[in-house]
Amino acid sequence: MWQCTFLPVLFGCLSGSAFSAQRSWLLSSQRPHFDRPGDVIVGGSFSIFDLSIGNLSDFTAPPSRLVASGVSNWDYRVAQSFVFAIEEINRSAHLLPNVTLGFSIRNSGDTVHGALHETMSFLTRQQEPIPNYTCQHGSPQAALVGDTRSSLSVSMARLLGLYKFPQVSYSSSLPILSDKIQFPSFMRTLTSDLISSLAVTLLIIHFQWSWVIILAHDDDFGQQASSLATQKLSTAGVCIEYTLHVPSHESLGKIEEIVQTMEKSTARVVLVFLSSSNFQLILYGLLDVPVSGQVWVSKGALHMALALNIPRVSQVLHSTFGLLYHSSRAIGFPEFLANLRPSQTPEDMFIKKFWEFSFGCTWPHQSRTMTDGIHLCSGNESLKNKQYPFAEVSKIDAAYTAVYSIAHALQDMITHGHQLGKVTDSQDLQPWQLLQALRKVHFKTPDGSEIIFDANGDLVTKFDILQGQKTPEGVFHLVHVGMIDPQVSSGSKMKFHLMEDLHVPSSVCSESCLPGFSQVPRLGAPHCCFDCSPCPEGQFADQRDMKSCLLCPKEQYSSHTRDRCLPRTEIFLAFEEPLGFMLALVALFLAGLAVLVLGVFLKHRDSPVVRANNRSLSYLLLLSLCLCALCALLFLGRPSVFTCLLRQTTFAVVFTVAVSSVLAKTLTVVLAFRVTRPGDRIRVCLSPGASTSVVLIASFMQVVLCGVWLATSPPFPDRDMVSESQHIVIQCQEGSGTIFFCVLGYLGLLAVGTFSVAFLARDLPDVFNETKFLNFSMLLFCSVWTAFLPLYHSARGKSTVAVEIFSILASTAGLLGGIFIPKCYIILLKPERNTPAWLRQGHQTHQEGQSEMLQRRCVPRSTPQNFMV
């Protein structure tokens, strides 16, 4: 029963005559098709026959009929997977048990106008379609599966979108088809090129390749894919040495220029967004240049298969990586193809031409003449040994998943009809209702693959990672090495599952910086190109390729290799260490020596040597020198609050007492020789009280300075983190530096004054006076402390304390030895000189010398007063 119905949507893109009889010359009068009846019809558009126009048109007459110029083995195989899926569903007791699916397979001829004609013919059920009219003479139509190329699918999708008629593509991956505003009824059982481009880009990031080349087609997709890859790679820190765009037309000059650029490149990884033809042209061009060891990464496994079959390609490639959609595997389909016979499907109008192209034969009763090498087709030939050239790629049964998606959507509509427009029977089917169910479909195919579509109608699928591995013989073969799973990830991140023993070559501009080194960017180069600089002292880098070294905490220091921080140990000049032990022994020795000399002086206190130059000052000087030696012990050991308070103050006070005592003794000698007349006022200064006053006044001033120091900003224990990198020096901080230097300055001023007076008195006549010894000892004292200043400021850590202790002990030894050792020598070893007779002899000699001196000066003679006390 034929009935023509007006379609409710106007076909606004094409005029009514576009598919009328006036244009029928564009297509053959009997277009091949393959139909099988059923309760619901599923259409299929495949580019099985390549159609071409016989003669070019000069626009003065209609062109000749379209003729078949070849047969696509791939597309006919896809069409058979379409048939296999429908037959498998019809045999299923669980999926559409009460519905028989039929189909109508059409040939688009790999042309846009052929695809549009077959689409409209399927919609209107007319051989020569009239737009907006359909002759309903059979089962309802559910959806259309196809087509192969994106350009064909775009034209079909624009037409089918007007009628909200579901279209499920099995091969079109153009990104724009994800736009649901332009293509509301389009869906596909694969992802868009952008998703696969993103996946292969993330693969580069996952393999930690940081130096790559991008080869992209000079078209919309190539620009979009290379821009996406550049953005993702740059965000991940990957540098792109070159981005090369290959023109759409095969320009040998441009290809040669690209080959020359790749010849001088240092990147080993090449990211490819190319067509198969240009992909091969680039590889052929590289065969003649000295390029080796490159790794080519493509979003398509077909590229890899083509590359690996190029002769001598092992000279160029080290390895290849490609992605393969983890699609459903039609279990039993190879056997289905092997058992395919033309006699079993007489309604198939494509199989005989396919048979001729596959087996190189011709059917009997053909009008054309037989040629050499051509034999007759028997129809019993088997496709078992006529598999697709690349076994790994041929596992894709492209249309199989599309048919199952439509079947499950129909099942959901019938099972849950009350939720989908009250569809309880297949005869009530409306295509727009199926489109809603198709978008929400979620199921598993017989092989266990999970099928689900995203909001754009693209299949959420996993990617198999194939690597072209080179055998010892130099032959490549594709090996499954892992999988990318976007379903368990969010955003633009994907989860990788790779073989544990997978060998991945490196591609870097600069070799990785080891721990202990940081990256130093090269001037004018990308950030991936850098030099490695060792971390300075106090910093570390515990990971590879660190941009800068990190500071160690204050309590730690960097190891010798600068790859970690070690705890710093606390140090100070301890008694137990050899240097501290030796200094302590010297201090005790000098203190004991001073006590011993004091004992000698006390024992011989009435002897002329001891009485000379005020013996009370000698006792005080020896006592102060003993304390000077002992105060050095305060600088040893771990500093505490108590020892820090006593160190510098005790040192300053006892040395002031010692130096002021030397000053008093020196002044006594000088003033003694200045007394020329009895009753001279200067004689008052020779009394013991005057000498004691000098010591008390000088010492009191130092005590006042130290008191102010302790009251305002006293010394305190401190931790020096700077002096030594591996240690924390426990030391005494002086507190107020101003007062500290005032204390030292006063002591230095007193020492310089004492030395000056002693120097002026060095030539006085010597009996038992000690002017020469005082001058020599003060010379040693000033020399030691003059050398102390630069040494103290250049020393670091506990060496500073050692320098100060050494200066204390050296100056103490200089005063003790320079003043008292000669006297002890006379007392102990030359007792005959320590007698009044020797003193009188010395006086007589002194008087004679003085008389002679006075005669020369013409002054009255006078006898020096005895300054013994």
Side-chain angles (χ1 to χ4, degrees):
M1 180 74 182
W2 288 73
Q3 182 181 2
C4 294
T5 305
F6 180 74
L7 293 175
V9 180
L10 290 178
F11 181 36
C13 298
L14 297 174
S15 65
S17 62
F19 294 94
S20 64
Q22 296 179 7
R23 298 292 298 274
S24 61
W25 48 264
L26 286 173
L27 305 166
S28 61
S29 58
Q30 182 65 31
R31 283 181 171 271
H33 55 86
F34 182 10
D35 296 338
R36 185 172 295 174
D39 298 329
V40 177
I41 302 300
V42 180
S45 178
F46 307 95
S47 301
I48 300 174
F49 294 165
D50 295 333
L51 302 180
S52 61
I53 299 176
N55 299 314
L56 294 176
S57 174
D58 59 2
F59 299 100
T60 60
S64 60
R65 295 168 53 187
L66 291 174
V67 296
S69 60
V71 177
S72 171
N73 289 334
W74 167 260
D75 281 279
Y76 187 75
R77 168 194 166 85
V78 174
Q80 286 300 322
S81 71
F82 174 87
V83 175
F84 175 76
I86 289 181
E87 292 183 356
E88 191 175 64
I89 293 170
N90 288 336
R91 293 193 301 267
S92 174
H94 304 286
L95 184 58
L96 297 177
N98 299 320
V99 177
T100 300
L101 294 180
F103 59 82
S104 178
I105 297 178
R106 307 300 181 99
N107 175 48
S108 65
D110 200 28
T111 62
V112 173
H113 57 270
L116 285 174
H117 181 277
E118 293 298 341
T119 301
M120 185 55 72
S121 176
F122 175 72
L123 288 176
T124 62
R125 306 175 190 269
Q126 303 174 62
Q127 184 68 26
E128 299 300 332
I130 301 176
N132 300 328
Y133 286 88
T134 178
C135 294
Q136 298 179 356
H137 63 285
S139 303
Q141 297 167 319
L144 181 63
V145 176
D147 199 301
T148 306
R149 290 196 301 118
S150 293
S151 59
L152 307 184
S153 294
V154 167
S155 301
M156 295 169 59
R158 294 190 188 278
L159 175 59
L160 294 172
L162 297 174
Y163 302 103
K164 299 297 188 291
F165 194 91
Q167 176 189 1
V168 184
S169 176
Y170 52 83
S171 182
S172 302
S173 57
L174 195 67
I176 195 174
L177 288 168
S178 296
D179 186 355
K180 294 300 102 179
I181 296 178
Q182 298 188 56
F183 311 101
S185 63
F186 179 84
M187 304 185 72
R188 51 187 165 192
T189 55
L190 71 166
T191 61
S192 72
D193 283 331
L194 287 185
I195 299 299
S196 58
S197 300
L198 174 62
V200 76
T201 302
L202 295 179
L203 181 67
I204 287 182
I205 297 174
H206 183 78
F207 284 152
Q208 298 181 351
W209 289 323
S210 61
W211 191 233
V212 301
I213 300 173
I214 294 180
L215 271 179
H217 217 289
D218 192 13
D219 57 9
D220 290 342
F221 164 68
Q223 297 284 352
Q224 197 171 4
S226 61
S227 177
L228 173 66
T230 301
Q231 178 184 356
K232 293 296 181 183
L233 293 177
S234 300
T235 304
V238 179
C239 295
I240 300 170
E241 185 177 15
Y242 299 108
T243 299
L244 306 174
H245 291 281
V246 183
S248 300
H249 56 282
E250 296 181 359
S251 173
L252 295 181
K254 183 65 175 178
I255 296 295
E256 183 178 353
E257 180 182 340
I258 291 174
V259 169
Q260 291 177 355
T261 302
M262 296 184 65
E263 180 182 359
K264 63 182 181 181
S265 69
T266 58
R268 297 187 61 190
V269 173
V270 183
L271 180 56
V272 179
F273 302 110
L274 291 178
S275 64
S276 300
S277 58
N278 282 335
F279 184 86
Q280 290 180 293
L281 282 175
I282 297 292
L283 279 182
Y284 275 115
L286 290 173
L287 291 176
D288 299 326
V289 297
V291 176
S292 62
Q294 289 186 336
V295 179
W296 284 49
V297 184
S298 172
K299 71 180 187 64
L302 181 60
H303 283 166
M304 298 300 99
L306 293 172
L308 301 186
N309 282 270
I310 295 177
R312 299 185 296 120
V313 73
S314 60
Q315 299 177 8
V316 177
L317 299 184
H318 178 276
S319 179
T320 60
F321 285 92
L323 299 185
L324 184 65
Y325 299 114
H326 190 74
S327 60
S328 302
R329 303 293 184 257
I331 303 173
F333 181 58
E335 292 76 14
F336 174 82
L337 276 183
N339 296 326
L340 186 64
R341 298 293 183 272
S343 58
Q344 296 175 354
T345 54
E347 69 275 25
D348 185 355
M349 301 176 67
F350 307 101
I351 191 169
K352 287 191 174 183
K353 184 66 65 176
F354 167 76
W355 216 259
E356 288 183 351
F357 273 80
S358 297
F359 297 103
C361 62
T362 184
W363 292 98
H365 311 296
Q366 296 286 343
S367 59
R368 61 175 180 267
T369 306
M370 295 286 294
T371 58
D372 294 338
I374 301 296
H375 59 277
L376 293 177
C377 299
S378 64
N380 294 321
E381 293 87 356
S382 175
L383 292 171
K384 185 174 183 180
N385 297 323
K386 292 287 184 180
Q387 299 295 321
Y388 196 74
F390 312 114
E392 294 82 0
V393 182
S394 66
K395 293 177 182 178
I396 304 176
D397 302 300
Y400 182 82
T401 305
V403 176
Y404 262 90
S405 301
I406 296 170
H408 277 275
L410 283 170
Q411 176 82 2
D412 292 342
M413 287 181 62
I414 296 173
T415 304
H416 308 93
H418 62 285
Q419 299 177 2
L420 298 170
K422 298 183 180 179
V423 177
T424 57
D425 189 82
S426 61
Q427 297 302 316
D428 300 329
L429 173 66
Q430 294 296 329
W432 61 268
Q433 294 172 322
L434 179 64
L435 181 59
Q436 295 182 21
L438 193 57
R439 289 171 177 169
K440 301 177 182 179
V441 75
H442 188 185
F443 66 96
K444 288 187 177 181
T445 58
D447 70 330
S449 299
E450 187 176 12
I451 303 300
I452 185 173
F453 295 95
D454 62 15
N456 296 323
D458 300 335
L459 184 67
V460 180
T461 182
K462 301 176 183 178
F463 296 94
D464 291 325
I465 304 173
L466 301 180
Q467 182 186 20
Q469 296 181 356
K470 188 190 302 184
T471 63
E473 293 77 19
V475 179
F476 280 98
H477 63 285
L478 289 177
V479 178
H480 182 274
V481 296
M483 184 174 62
I484 303 176
D485 187 1
Q487 299 185 57
V488 297
S489 306
S490 59
S492 60
K493 296 183 179 180
M494 299 182 181
K495 187 173 183 179
F496 290 80
H497 304 277
L498 296 169
M499 298 171 54
E500 294 183 359
D501 57 345
L502 177 62
H503 174 68
V504 179
S506 63
S507 179
V508 294
C509 180
S510 301
E511 292 297 329
S512 177
C513 290
L514 298 174
F517 294 82
S518 64
Q519 296 178 357
V520 178
R522 295 177 184 170
L523 187 63
H527 68 87
C528 297
C529 303
F530 50 82
D531 297 317
C532 296
S533 175
C535 293
E537 186 176 353
Q539 300 182 21
F540 74 102
D542 58 350
Q543 298 177 4
R544 287 176 172 266
D545 295 326
M546 293 190 66
K547 301 298 181 182
S548 60
C549 299
L550 304 177
L551 285 173
C552 286
K554 291 185 177 180
E555 303 291 333
Q556 298 179 351
Y557 71 97
S558 56
S559 63
H560 176 70
T561 55
R562 302 291 192 268
D563 58 349
R564 66 186 186 278
C565 291
L566 302 175
R568 299 170 70 174
T569 56
E570 294 183 346
I571 61 169
F572 48 85
L573 191 57
F575 289 96
E576 295 80 8
E577 59 182 292
L579 179 60
F581 182 74
M582 293 299 298
L583 292 175
L585 285 180
V586 173
L588 293 175
F589 171 76
L590 291 177
L593 183 61
V595 171
L596 183 62
V597 172
L598 179 60
V600 171
F601 270 49
L602 289 174
K603 182 178 180 180
H604 301 86
R605 58 183 175 276
D606 294 328
S607 63
V609 172
V610 175
R611 294 179 59 197
N613 296 100
N614 197 330
R615 59 185 172 187
S616 298
L617 286 178
S618 297
Y619 298 157
L620 181 60
L621 178 59
L622 285 171
L623 183 60
S624 64
L625 289 178
C626 177
L627 293 177
C628 287
L630 292 177
C631 81
L633 300 179
L634 293 174
F635 291 83
L636 295 173
R638 184 183 182 91
S640 62
V641 176
F642 179 73
T643 56
C644 286
L645 290 175
L646 291 181
R647 273 186 182 184
Q648 302 293 354
T649 54
T650 303
F651 155 73
V653 170
V654 296
F655 264 87
T656 300
V657 173
V659 173
S660 61
S661 299
V662 175
L663 175 62
K665 289 173 70 67
T666 307
L667 289 174
T668 300
V669 175
V670 172
L671 293 176
F673 282 95
R674 290 291 301 273
V675 177
T676 57
R677 298 186 303 274
D680 198 331
R681 293 182 179 180
I682 300 179
R683 187 176 182 84
V684 179
C685 299
L686 295 177
S687 65
S691 301
T692 305
S693 298
V694 172
V695 175
L696 290 177
I697 293 173
S699 301
F700 177 74
M701 295 180 64
Q702 186 70 283
V703 170
V704 170
L705 285 175
C706 292
V708 174
W709 184 13
L710 296 179
T712 56
S713 181
F716 57 91
D718 188 29
R719 295 159 61 88
D720 181 10
M721 304 283 189
V722 179
S723 298
E724 298 190 23
S725 60
Q726 300 182 10
H727 304 97
I728 300 175
V729 181
I730 308 300
Q731 62 181 10
C732 288
Q733 184 60 258
E734 286 79 7
S736 175
T738 302
I739 302 181
F740 172 67
F741 285 109
C742 287
V743 169
L744 293 184
Y746 174 75
L747 179 60
L749 181 64
L750 190 63
V752 171
T754 303
F755 172 70
S756 300
V757 175
F759 181 77
L760 295 175
R762 70 187 184 280
D763 293 330
L764 292 177
D766 182 18
V767 180
F768 290 118
N769 77 78
E770 46 197 1
T771 54
K772 289 185 174 63
F773 301 134
L774 293 175
N775 179 55
F776 176 71
S777 62
M778 289 308 301
L779 178 64
L780 288 178
F781 184 90
C782 292
S783 300
V784 168
W785 289 104
T786 301
F788 161 79
L789 293 176
L791 290 175
Y792 182 82
H793 287 286
S794 62
R796 290 291 181 269
K798 62 182 182 180
S799 300
T800 305
V801 180
V803 168
E804 189 167 1
I805 295 176
F806 178 80
S807 300
I808 292 173
L809 297 179
S811 57
T812 301
L815 292 177
L816 183 62
I819 298 175
F820 295 102
I821 294 302
K823 294 184 177 183
C824 291
Y825 172 78
I826 293 174
I827 294 173
L828 299 177
L829 300 180
K830 298 291 184 180
E832 66 276 6
R833 296 183 181 181
N834 191 17
T835 60
W838 182 268
L839 176 63
R840 287 192 295 271
Q841 182 181 354
H843 283 174
Q844 183 178 357
T845 304
H846 170 66
Q847 290 175 352
E848 293 175 356
Q850 188 177 26
S851 299
E852 184 179 354
M853 179 182 65
L854 291 175
Q855 288 177 0
R856 289 196 301 267
R857 296 183 179 181
C858 300
V859 295
R861 288 188 308 164
S862 63
T863 303
Q865 301 297 318
N866 188 352
F867 51 85
M868 293 185 183
V869 180

